[in-house]
Amino acid sequence: MQELRLLCCVALLGLTRACPEPCDCSRKYGFQIADCAYRDLEAVPPGFPANVTTLSLSVNRLPSLPEGAFREVPLLQSLWLAHNEIRTVAAGALASLGQLKSLDLSHNLLSDFAWSDLHTLGALELLKMDSNELSSIPRDAFRSLHALRSLQLNHNRLHTLAEGTFNPLTALSHLQINDNPFDCTCGLVWLKAWALATAVSIPEQNNVACTTPSVLRGTPLSRLPPLPCWAPSVRLSYQPSQDGAELRPGFVLALHCAADGQPTPRLHWHIQTPGSGTVEITSPNIGTDGRALQGSQPRFRAFANGSLLIPNFGKLDEGAYSCVATNEMGSTESSVNVALATPGEDVVWHGFRGKATEAKGCYTVDNEVQPSGPEDSVVIIYLSRGGSPEAAVAGQAWAGQRPQSMLLVCHSLLLVLLAAF
Ligand SMILES: *[C@@H]1O[C@H](CO)[C@@H](O)[C@H](O)[C@H]1NC(C)=O
Ligand SMILES: *[C@@H]1O[C@H](CO)[C@@H](O)[C@H](O)[C@H]1NC(C)=O
């Protein structure tokens, strides 16, 4: 101790900055250690020598870690912060610690943690965050922790974990996730399968258990019965004519996205047109009473039943329409390209050219350019002055809900002929 004080005095004399007054700084086994544990500290004290490699601030009363909290000690390899009252770790509090191997934040009140700071801690081998109040972890939180061997997240408030959360942890050998109030719904089914298959040791498996739903309360994840869960499938169909009425300029184009999946998928439309640019719509944006759910009437009207209505469909509404269905099991997308044409007109459209030919109900496509994939189905809405055998074709496609087979017949192109106007 005496020696240590002396060392600090020597440092004070100008060799380097002193050890902060409440702490003890020492050199042991080639490490520069700063011991500030059990000091009733309410903030990280300033004045550390820049070569500190081990810093203990355990058992104090730190309420939070602000940005730049450890700026003075960039060479830190071990940081002990257990048993404080830390609720918040601000962005930038830890990000500068690129050499950090061990971080202990256990036994705090952490609910607000800047997960993005972990992205720069690529040397981390031990991360203890157990006995806190963490309620969620972003899917990519651990994406840079390729050296992490031990991760402790037990005794928190985690309800669920996103599939793939632990995938980047290629060096992981020990994972503690017991005693969290897991919600055993479809979103967590992956964890059971992963835990069964992984070589990572997961202690206290009986306490890795469900809290909700109530029928599963207390059931260990490893004994979770099979749940009815499947990823969404989507089928996109279209209706150029409502109620079978003849189509005229100014008609309403209706796309219908029929999504299946368990749990019931949420729908999202992704639209790109020259008139509106890129539009993202979380469906529905129109209520059952026909009114906009937010703000003014939108150009594209998305209903809860999966229909997207575009009134007064015109040249500026040509473009790509995608329906994305998402649930806890995954996400599936189906797209259609919609073009508007008049007979005899050359159409140049996203990599294919064709000439509208009234008689066949199909575009003739230049042989060398074909749509690139099944998702590139194209609906050509064909403004015609003539008769309309093709309108019947379109009607069939709607009634049978099988536009795909029609698309095949027509070289992946479907022609919808409008009645005379
Ligand atoms: C850290 O710096 C101090 C002061 O320059 C020095 O006495 C000490 O030996 C250094 N520690 C290590 C581990 O290099
Ligand atoms: C969905 O609801 C809208 C608005 O009520 C309606 O116009 C549309 O026809 C419905 N779609 C289907 C497939 O029933």
Side-chain angles (χ1 to χ4, degrees):
M1 222 43 163
Q2 209 55 41
E3 206 180 296
L4 198 129
R5 295 272 179 237
L6 204 83
L7 215 129
C8 289
C9 291
V10 170
L12 263 176
L13 287 173
L15 286 173
T16 182
R17 271 178 298 177
C19 192
E21 190 269 322
C23 308
D24 289 324
C25 293
S26 62
R27 198 186 153 171
K28 239 183 243 167
Y29 315 117
F31 292 105
Q32 188 65 36
I33 298 165
D35 181 4
C36 318
Y38 296 94
R39 301 295 203 282
D40 269 341
L41 296 176
E42 289 177 21
V44 180
F48 289 104
N51 62 358
V52 169
T53 52
T54 301
L55 173 54
S56 176
L57 286 155
S58 301
V59 201
N60 280 296
R61 289 165 47 209
L62 304 182
S64 63
L65 298 177
E67 192 220 328
F70 303 102
R71 198 174 280 139
E72 289 185 336
V73 284
L75 304 177
L76 218 51
Q77 292 181 25
S78 301
L79 179 55
W80 312 112
L81 289 156
H83 294 279
N84 276 279
E85 294 161 19
I86 302 169
R87 288 173 196 278
T88 305
V89 174
L94 302 167
S96 59
L97 302 176
Q99 319 268 325
L100 200 64
K101 289 183 177 167
S102 303
L103 175 59
D104 186 355
L105 280 159
S106 63
H107 297 276
N108 277 288
L109 302 167
L110 262 186
S111 57
D112 181 11
F113 182 74
W115 293 99
S116 57
D117 269 27
L118 293 182
H119 297 338
T120 54
L121 304 190
L124 209 58
E125 294 173 6
L126 168 71
L127 178 56
K128 275 170 68 73
M129 300 184 85
D130 53 284
S131 306
N132 274 292
E133 296 185 2
L134 300 171
S135 59
S136 67
I137 299 180
R139 182 189 303 262
D140 72 340
F142 306 130
R143 69 169 191 224
S144 308
L145 304 186
H146 305 303
L148 198 72
R149 287 190 278 117
S150 179
L151 176 58
Q152 296 174 34
L153 295 165
N154 46 300
H155 292 93
N156 271 290
R157 298 198 176 167
L158 301 172
H159 295 283
T160 195
L161 289 164
E163 182 164 9
T165 299
F166 304 124
N167 287 359
L169 303 174
T170 46
L172 197 69
S173 64
H174 179 92
L175 174 65
Q176 264 187 274
I177 49 172
N178 51 284
D179 295 282
N180 277 292
F182 284 124
D183 182 27
C184 292
T185 51
C186 294
L188 209 63
V189 166
W190 73 273
L191 186 59
K192 176 192 176 185
W194 181 85
L196 278 174
T198 185
V200 175
S201 118
I202 305 173
E204 298 201 46
Q205 297 249 347
N206 279 346
N207 295 329
V208 182
C210 311
T211 294
T212 50
S214 51
V215 289
L216 292 172
R217 193 182 186 93
T219 306
L221 199 64
S222 56
R223 276 182 253 137
L224 191 66
L227 301 177
C229 304
W230 59 90
S233 59
V234 285
R235 208 174 44 205
L236 195 55
S237 52
Y238 58 90
Q239 190 179 27
S241 160
Q242 287 189 302
D243 308 316
E246 287 195 339
L247 290 175
R248 297 175 188 289
F251 68 99
V252 177
L253 178 73
L255 298 173
H256 188 67
C257 182
D260 186 29
Q262 181 69 29
T264 303
R266 304 175 294 281
L267 296 185
H268 178 94
W269 291 93
H270 172 82
I271 301 167
Q272 267 180 304
T273 68
S276 304
T278 301
V279 182
E280 305 288 348
I281 300 167
T282 301
S283 183
N285 64 7
I286 300 288
T288 42
D289 59 357
R291 289 198 203 166
L293 292 176
Q294 276 167 358
S296 56
Q297 284 291 348
R299 175 78 192 99
F300 306 102
R301 297 162 64 78
F303 292 88
N305 63 9
S307 288
L308 182 78
L309 304 188
I310 307 140
N312 279 313
F313 191 89
K315 202 76 184 158
L316 289 176
D317 302 313
E318 285 187 335
Y321 291 78
S322 305
C323 168
V324 186
T326 306
N327 69 10
E328 283 75 357
M329 306 306 289
S331 191
T332 311
E333 178 173 341
S334 184
S335 304
V336 65
N337 289 322
V338 183
L340 194 61
T342 47
E345 180 191 359
D346 281 327
V347 174
V348 179
W349 180 256
H350 287 318
F352 77 84
R353 276 167 285 136
K355 189 174 266 298
T357 45
E358 252 175 276
K360 287 185 189 160
C362 289
Y363 258 63
T364 51
V365 180
D366 295 355
N367 278 337
E368 72 271 25
V369 270
Q370 292 284 338
S372 58
E375 293 302 307
D376 286 340
S377 50
V378 178
V379 178
I380 311 283
I381 296 163
Y382 185 16
L383 292 165
S384 170
R385 290 165 209 280
S388 61
E390 289 79 16
V393 165
Q396 267 171 23
W398 174 254
Q401 303 270 310
R402 293 285 307 278
Q404 301 301 348
S405 61
M406 296 307 302
L407 293 169
L408 277 181
V409 171
C410 303
H411 303 281
S412 299
L413 304 176
L414 186 78
L415 179 67
V416 178
L417 184 66
L418 271 95
F421 59 90

